Amino acid sequence: MAKDGKHVIHAGGIFANPQLHREGATAADTKPGTVGFFNAGIFTASVDGKEPDILYVANYDYLRCKTVDDVIKADDWLVAFHPTSGVFLNIPAVAGTYKKGQAVAVVNGQIKLAVTTGETPDAIFAYVEEDKALTAVAGDLVRVVFK
């Protein structure tokens, strides 16, 4: 069971029917919720969200009765969501406190609070959509929405 009580990556919202997906092999062991991109059909975790490719979010492997806690092994098949406006997803986060409405960016396939000022601001990926402030341990799932 997920230690934070979350059992899905796709958490709802307004979405195209059917939801946009992409499939391919994984470059390395990948946790569900990892943010990454496909290059030549291979899913790789995003380093900073600034890659020139479309970013996707890895789903858990429901086809083989896996959960959000099970790692998708390197070279195994992965199905990923294409985030669209109005969709809510649970994504692994770096340790920290997350509050509704805060902008998040990508770092090594996870989310972190976005730095939006200075010479090198982060690329905003989504916004926190938790009901109350959440203090996450590294890897905990945090609910976000795409605008």
Side-chain angles (χ1 to χ4, degrees):
M1 178 189 290
K3 63 184 173 192
D4 58 8
K6 295 179 180 163
H7 304 284
V8 296
I9 299 303
H10 181 246
I14 301 167
F15 53 91
N17 189 7
Q19 177 71 33
L20 302 171
H21 292 92
R22 183 153 180 198
E23 302 177 46
T26 59
D29 287 2
T30 303
K31 288 283 289 179
T34 298
V35 179
F37 58 93
F38 286 91
N39 186 342
I42 306 295
F43 182 86
T44 303
S46 172
V47 173
D48 61 6
K50 296 179 182 177
E51 293 85 3
D53 304 285
I54 296 171
L55 294 179
Y56 292 86
V57 177
N59 198 3
Y60 68 98
D61 192 351
Y62 60 89
L63 297 172
R64 288 175 274 214
C65 299
K66 304 286 183 172
T67 71
V68 294
D69 297 318
D70 296 315
V71 172
I72 301 164
K73 297 292 184 187
D75 296 322
D76 212 345
W77 204 248
L78 174 136
V79 176
F81 290 104
H82 176 228
T84 54
S85 181
V87 170
F88 299 90
L89 298 177
N90 292 314
I91 299 179
V94 299
T97 300
Y98 296 85
K99 298 176 185 169
K100 186 173 184 145
Q102 290 178 309
V104 293
V106 177
V107 60
N108 299 322
Q110 297 185 333
I111 57 168
K112 68 171 188 127
L113 293 176
V115 175
T116 57
T117 59
E119 290 184 29
T120 56
D122 292 323
I124 295 174
F125 181 65
Y127 297 86
V128 176
E129 190 55 37
E130 291 287 342
D131 293 332
K132 58 185 179 180
L134 171 73
T135 300
V137 175
D140 280 354
L141 295 175
V142 173
R143 184 177 177 179
V144 300
V145 65
F146 297 88
K147 295 183 179 184

